[in-house]
Amino acid sequence: MTDYNFAYLDEQTKRMIRRAILKGLAIPGYQVPFASREMPMPYGWGTGGVQVSAATLTPDDTLKVIDQGADDTTNAVSIRKFFERTAGVATTEETSKASVIQTRHRIPEEDLTEDQILVYQVPIPEPLRFLEPSEVETRKMHSLEDYGLMHVKLYEDISRHGQIATSYAYPVKVEDRYVMDPSPIPKFDNPKLEMAAIQLFGAGREQRIYAIPPYTQVVSLDFEDYPFEASKADAACDLCAATDSYLDEVITDDAGGRMFVCSDTDYCRSRRAAGHVGALGTAFDEDAA
Amino acid sequence: MTTAIEIPSAVTPLLRVTDLNKFYGTRIGCADVSFDLYPGEVMGIVGESGSGKSTLLNCLAGHLAPDAGQVLFDTRAEGMRDTVTMSEPERRMLGRTDWAFVHQHARDGLRMNVSAGGNVGERLMAVGARHYGNIREVAVDWLGRVEINEDRVDDRPTAFSGGMQQRLQIARNLVTGPRLVFMDEPTGGLDVSVQARLLDLLRGLVREMGLSAIIVTHDLAVVRLLADRLMVMKDGHVVETGLTDQVLDDPQHAYTQLLVSSVLQV
Ligand SMILES: Nc1ncnc2c1ncn2[C@@H]1O[C@H](COP(=O)(O)OP(=O)(O)O)[C@@H](O)[C@H]1O
Ligand SMILES: [Mg+2]
Ligand SMILES: [Zn+2]
């Protein structure tokens, strides 16, 4: 028994959000305004993503929630619990078993499929905001494809740091039309934005939804002489030996000990389960014991 | 009898303004303004404060929508087009390619939180330049042309003097080789000595690049130095036009006579 409608939001609100999602899918990369609702959690906790997930989930869905790639952080756990309680949907930590994945700041390492939907929590949806504070003006720039300013930002990066220093929320152009903020994912993830799954982006405080349909062209902005690079730490995971995954640097003791581990906890776990062992790792069975 | 528009010479005007009107409610901004500007010509618009100079300039540059009249511009692709009725994307494209606009206050025409190089490079990037090294090279070259040292290329305009900011604004505007430059009181608000240097610089650029320009000012010294032709405005109307020297040395209209004799505090 629950006092809530399925997935907390009332049906009328969900319909309104679904219309925004469909419009977003029809115009890839375009920010669709929507009437964001109060959610029982503070802004910054992913209220935009939660509303998009609520409008997307059906009783048959299996939900995965990650924060910086991990299923077990406070933010991920509380959102997962929220939907367990309000929607009664099955949840999982396994990327391949999820039909809807809500994420903050990462794209899973494992390739997603056409049967999956990836929902991003977005803090600031407007990629032009930092140089042009006027919303009226940025909207006009989008509608007129007046994007010189976006490269000014990258130019400033190079002139100040000798390279494009932007490493998160790296701007992209979608289907050769709209410039879009991919949310604060590391630029390592940018090439994965061209994927088989549906990608939905929700910004609660800023009341915007945008989307990338499956197999849409997504190009990271750059200069000919400073081409985009999907960089990561030049190391292997110390637990699973993966060299192709995005790594977090973790401090292990007071003596300054450090190790690199996959930020995608499910990816790391499944590799260890398959027998991969990193430089500082132990065999998976012992680890679990 | 024919109703065809007579073009007075074989050369097509760059800009043809006919019966332009702009009202603010019932107040006249500017009224019944008509003139032609030919390629390579610099037109000065003078008149006391409130006479409608800025209103007219903003209507010409597409920043304000006039209530009546035409502003025909000789576009590269399609010849004479009315910029009043063309679509906003087309007008904006002109605004970042063939037109330039120098504001009286540099901060209105610059991005104050972007380096000098980024300010000059923006128009290049807006029209598709995607090679950092080339953009920077052109930016440095333009800084040199407006007498700003190369080592200031990464400084923000907030660190510049008023005169330097204005020169930076000019570089930012001229970098894409615009065919028509609008200037609203480009030397206004600067110290007299700084004004003189800026005027010399502008005169050099106008000659060197063969610029076509419309310069609004209340300072007759500015038009004496820069303008081939003059339009004198009063209460939103053009009261006298002619070659600069003729108008200044032999003013016909009583108001122009007052203006020239400096009786009016303008
Ligand atoms: N935004 C506005 N709203 C109402 N009246 C305006 C506005 N801008 C200018 N005016 C009026 O239009 C007339 C012409 O002003 P303006 O074009 O600024 O003259 P100038 O540039 O010659 O000083 C003045 O009477 C002025 O008060
Ligand atoms: Mg004025
Ligand atoms: Zn790992």
Side-chain angles (χ1 to χ4, degrees), chain B residues 45 55 58 76 96 123 147 167 205 216 221 265:
Chain B
I45 302 176
T55 299
N58 283 304
R76 288 176 209 240
R96 58 186 201 247
R123 277 173 75 108
E147 298 165 16
R167 282 180 276 135
L205 289 169
V216 158
Q265 190 62 44

Side-chain angles (χ1 to χ4, degrees), chain B residues 153-164:
Chain B
V153 65
D154 293 328
D155 293 347
R156 294 185 176 184
T158 41
F160 290 3
S161 68
M164 273 176 85

Side-chain angles (χ1 to χ4, degrees), chain B residues 52-63:
Chain B
K53 306 183 296 294
S54 294
T55 299
L56 173 59
L57 195 72
N58 283 304
C59 286
L60 301 180
H63 299 168

Side-chain angles (χ1 to χ4, degrees), chain A residues 46-222:
Chain A
T47 56
V50 167
Q51 290 176 79
V52 169
S53 291
T56 303
L57 284 170
T58 67
D60 297 333
D61 273 312
T62 302
L63 177 70
K64 172 181 164 81
V65 183
I66 47 173
D67 179 7
Q68 313 261 16
D71 298 85
D72 57 1
T73 59
T74 316
N75 185 296
V77 169
S78 71
I79 291 173
R80 191 164 58 236
K81 281 203 178 127
F82 173 77
F83 282 118
E84 278 170 355
R85 213 175 60 226
T86 61
V89 290
T91 57
T92 182
E93 296 193 0
E94 284 181 58
T95 300
S96 59
K97 293 227 169 101
S99 55
V100 175
I101 302 172
Q102 180 169 333
T103 181
R104 174 173 174 269
H105 296 190
R106 273 312 309 278
I107 296 175
E109 303 294 353
E110 196 176 331
D111 283 346
L112 301 186
T113 67
E114 291 177 3
D115 301 326
Q116 295 179 300
I117 297 173
L118 184 59
V119 177
Y120 297 76
Q121 301 170 203
V122 179
I124 298 167
E126 178 48 71
L128 299 160
R129 176 66 44 81
F130 47 88
L131 285 176
E132 179 52 72
S134 157
E135 170 85 21
V136 173
E137 186 58 25
T138 54
R139 282 224 212 178
K140 203 167 255 182
M141 289 163 127
H142 282 295
S143 72
L144 301 178
E145 249 183 296
D146 186 358
Y147 288 134
L149 198 54
M150 211 61 242
H151 272 86
V152 171
K153 153 86 168 96
L154 300 179
Y155 171 97
E156 292 291 286
D157 244 23
I158 300 172
S159 69
R160 225 170 299 151
H161 308 286
Q163 61 183 44
I164 298 178
T166 302
S167 53
Y168 291 88
Y170 193 104
V172 296
K173 196 166 200 184
V174 180
E175 205 66 21
D176 206 25
R177 177 59 184 86
Y178 285 97
V179 166
M180 190 196 93
D181 184 324
S183 87
I185 57 172
K187 66 178 178 179
F188 173 81
D189 282 343
N190 273 30
K192 290 189 243 162
L193 290 162
E194 288 187 347
M195 64 162 73
I198 291 174
Q199 298 171 82
L200 307 175
F201 298 78
R205 189 181 44 227
E206 306 250 350
Q207 316 213 46
R208 292 288 184 279
I209 285 171
Y210 49 103
I212 304 177
Y215 307 113
T216 298
Q217 183 200 58
V218 182
V219 175
S220 302
L221 303 182
D222 62 4

Side-chain angles (χ1 to χ4, degrees), chain A residues 237-242 245 247 261-262 267-268 271-272:
Chain A
C237 173
D238 284 318
L239 295 180
C240 78
S245 67
L247 301 171
V261 295
C262 294
Y267 184 71
C268 200
R271 277 182 56 84
R272 280 181 288 139

Side-chain angles (χ1 to χ4, degrees), chain B residues 1-6:
Chain B
M1 281 271 283
T2 170
T3 53
I5 304 165
E6 292 238 350

